[in-house]
Amino acid sequence: MLLLKTIIDMPLTPEQLAKIAQKDAVQPAALKRNASTNYYEGYFFITLNTRDYVPILSFISGRPDAPDGAPDAPSCEYTELGRKVMAVWQTVPRFHPHVEIIAAEAMPDHFHGLLRLKAGNRKHLGRIVNGFMISCTHEYWDTLGIKWRDMKKDPNKSDRDASLDWYDRDHTRSFRGPSLFVRGYNDMEAVTPEQVQTKLQYIREQARRALIKGTLRDRFHIHRSCTACGWTLDAIRRGLCADRFYAHDPERLEATLRTLMPRILMRPAAAAPKPLLSYIGCSALLSAERKLPLVCHRSDAPFFERQRDAVLRAAREGAVIVSAFISHKEREIGRLLLMEQLPVIEVYDNGFADRYKPSGKNFYACAENRLVQISPWNYEYSRNLTVNREVCLVMNELARVIAGMGEGWWKQ
């Protein structure tokens, strides 16, 4: 025991640190676990994607507007493989007694699972998920007629071409056959009963959401590399100058702009590079005749109720509210706008991944032509994306540019 403690306490050598960094650099982003999360206990919501997003687990039936419980309500009709995957999920506690299965859904090209790791569990979540994925792949091989049980080891393992490892870095196949799922998984820890209920509702609504997205493709299409009148590098500088420190320090402003440039969506040009935008949702809102920006400043905190009432009144009269919904007070007004089903343009704090879609109430707002999400940023995968003051200043300026006026309109 003393020897083990000594080994654990020994600092890593520079060579070991370099090797760890090298492995981490080639690892897909979805595999990089959160070092601050306890993966041995708690609630977890996982998502696994089929290889190449092949829709082989189920197909969606029903009508998107049919109520729950109706004969034509949206549902997932499992394929033979999908039924096997769902059955394997239920067997996990047999091998890991400290795992409680809560819910699951096999969508055509991905799988959602909600589970709880109970106190006393000694298996890392990744080991449990890996075992589930392997079992599902075995079921997949059975449906393909592969006699994998007779293949005990790779006879050519020692002579395998090294280039194959680079080509198949995500380990989507072995010498026995192709894997069912892409290597790795996305997880979200649900630490409260309320979050668990939210995930259960999300799983129950998956089929309906898929039908809505399929029938309203234009609402959920991501429009990329778009331009907007007035959205220029000078506008971004003007947004940063809303901070008095940048307004009085041009060198600091330019230095900050250079640090932001890798994140800003740009059209490269030798003469004058131009900032671009991406958006998803009802494009008609972007050309609405009356658009009003919402920015809640600390100096206006004593007058918040007046600002809130003015924003809601304007939205009820047909104005489209434009905001990044950064501050607590902005988010409070945003919830009220969604609750009253009023139109909103949200300046989003990240770019859009290829398979992105709005979540929660935003999804239905988008489907009902009440929401546009627009972003000036390149997409960046991160569990905890940093939204610093400079990013907020840029997003607030974009809200002003889209609306075509300053945020003090409610004081008039």
Side-chain angles (χ1 to χ4, degrees):
M1 183 63 70
L2 179 60
L3 177 60
L4 177 60
K5 184 178 186 304
T6 302
I7 293 174
I8 293 175
D9 291 341
M10 288 178 60
L12 296 175
T13 66
E15 292 77 12
Q16 290 172 320
L17 291 172
K19 189 66 175 178
I20 292 172
Q22 181 184 11
K23 289 183 177 180
D24 188 64
V26 301
Q27 195 176 35
L31 295 180
K32 297 176 182 177
R33 302 294 104 187
N34 188 343
S36 64
T37 298
N38 177 10
Y39 287 101
Y40 293 86
E41 186 176 337
Y43 293 94
F44 292 90
F45 178 79
I46 67 168
T47 300
L48 305 173
N49 295 314
T50 60
R51 183 171 47 88
D52 298 326
Y53 298 106
V54 180
I56 55 178
L57 300 181
S58 66
F59 61 91
I60 310 298
S61 63
R63 294 188 301 108
D65 57 342
D68 292 336
D72 55 353
S75 63
C76 291
E77 303 291 339
Y78 304 132
T79 63
E80 177 186 357
L81 178 59
R83 287 192 294 271
K84 290 181 177 181
V85 168
M86 293 292 286
V88 170
W89 180 250
Q90 295 300 323
T91 67
V92 171
R94 187 189 309 169
F95 303 97
H96 306 284
H98 288 85
V99 173
E100 176 188 352
I101 295 300
I102 300 176
E105 185 60 281
M107 297 298 289
D109 59 2
H110 62 278
F111 172 87
H112 291 304
L114 182 61
L115 57 79
R116 177 191 172 205
L117 302 184
K118 295 183 284 188
N121 172 60
R122 296 187 177 182
K123 285 283 187 179
H124 189 282
L125 175 66
R127 297 288 299 275
I128 296 169
V129 174
N130 183 60
F132 169 71
M133 294 171 69
I134 291 173
S135 296
C136 290
T137 291
H138 289 168
E139 297 290 351
Y140 180 42
W141 289 347
D142 285 342
T143 63
L144 295 177
I146 297 175
K147 306 299 182 182
W148 59 272
R149 293 175 181 83
D150 300 329
M151 307 176 194
K152 298 301 182 184
K153 64 178 183 178
D154 185 352
N156 301 315
K157 186 174 182 180
S158 60
D159 301 326
R160 198 183 325 180
D161 186 358
S163 64
L164 179 62
D165 292 331
W166 172 85
Y167 175 77
D168 194 35
R169 193 171 65 192
D170 287 340
H171 300 276
T172 55
R173 65 176 297 110
S174 73
F175 77 98
R176 295 174 178 177
S179 67
L180 174 59
F181 296 113
V182 175
R183 181 191 181 198
Y185 63 98
N186 293 316
D187 67 75
M188 181 179 294
E189 186 178 12
V191 295
T192 67
E194 291 77 16
Q195 289 173 319
V196 171
Q197 291 304 315
T198 297
K199 287 303 170 186
L200 281 171
Q201 182 68 20
Y202 178 81
I203 289 175
R204 286 193 289 266
E205 292 181 350
Q206 279 290 284
R208 187 181 304 277
R209 289 162 60 92
L211 284 177
I212 292 174
K213 186 178 179 182
T215 56
L216 302 172
R217 293 184 181 276
D218 59 318
R219 319 272 174 83
F220 296 96
H221 174 70
I222 300 173
H223 300 264
R224 302 188 184 277
S225 301
C226 304
T227 58
C229 181
W231 186 239
T232 62
L233 284 177
D234 285 339
I236 296 175
R237 289 187 180 92
R238 187 169 61 248
L240 293 173
C241 283
D243 185 315
R244 65 180 184 275
F245 295 106
Y246 291 120
H248 296 93
D249 192 343
E251 292 185 3
R252 183 179 178 186
L253 185 150
E254 293 300 322
T256 300
L257 181 59
R258 286 194 295 271
T259 63
L260 286 175
M261 288 301 287
R263 284 204 59 196
I264 296 174
L265 192 61
M266 299 288 294
R267 175 164 53 193
K274 183 175 180 61
L276 300 175
L277 301 168
S278 297
Y279 74 90
I280 183 172
C282 177
S283 59
L285 296 180
L286 294 170
S287 56
E289 183 176 350
R290 188 181 182 209
K291 298 185 289 290
L292 300 173
L294 166 62
V295 180
C296 293
H297 294 288
R298 291 181 181 177
S299 58
D300 293 327
F303 314 104
F304 170 68
E305 291 184 1
R306 175 186 169 191
Q307 183 179 17
R308 178 198 61 200
D309 294 344
V311 169
L312 292 175
R313 183 169 56 253
R316 291 166 189 153
E317 294 172 353
V320 177
I321 304 303
V322 189
S323 179
F325 300 107
I326 299 165
S327 71
H328 172 74
K329 295 186 182 299
E330 290 167 4
R331 291 195 296 271
E332 179 180 335
I333 296 176
R335 285 191 293 269
L336 293 173
L337 291 168
L338 282 176
M339 188 182 303
E340 295 194 28
Q341 300 185 352
L342 298 170
V344 168
I345 299 174
E346 178 186 7
V347 180
Y348 201 60
D349 60 6
N350 195 3
F352 303 113
D354 290 339
R355 293 171 62 83
Y356 172 82
K357 61 180 181 294
S359 59
K361 294 179 180 179
N362 285 342
F363 178 87
Y364 295 102
C366 189
E368 295 166 6
N369 291 333
R370 295 185 282 109
L371 175 68
V372 170
Q373 290 180 327
I374 189 166
S375 175
W377 311 112
N378 288 304
Y379 171 71
E380 179 179 331
Y381 175 85
S382 175
R383 289 182 171 275
N384 299 299
L385 187 66
T386 301
V387 182
N388 55 32
R389 177 162 176 75
E390 290 72 25
V391 168
C392 295
L393 291 170
V394 172
M395 292 195 294
N396 285 340
E397 182 60 27
L398 178 56
R400 298 184 195 99
V401 168
I402 293 173
M405 66 169 61
E407 65 271 15
W409 57 271
W410 59 274
K411 298 178 182 178
Q412 301 173 2

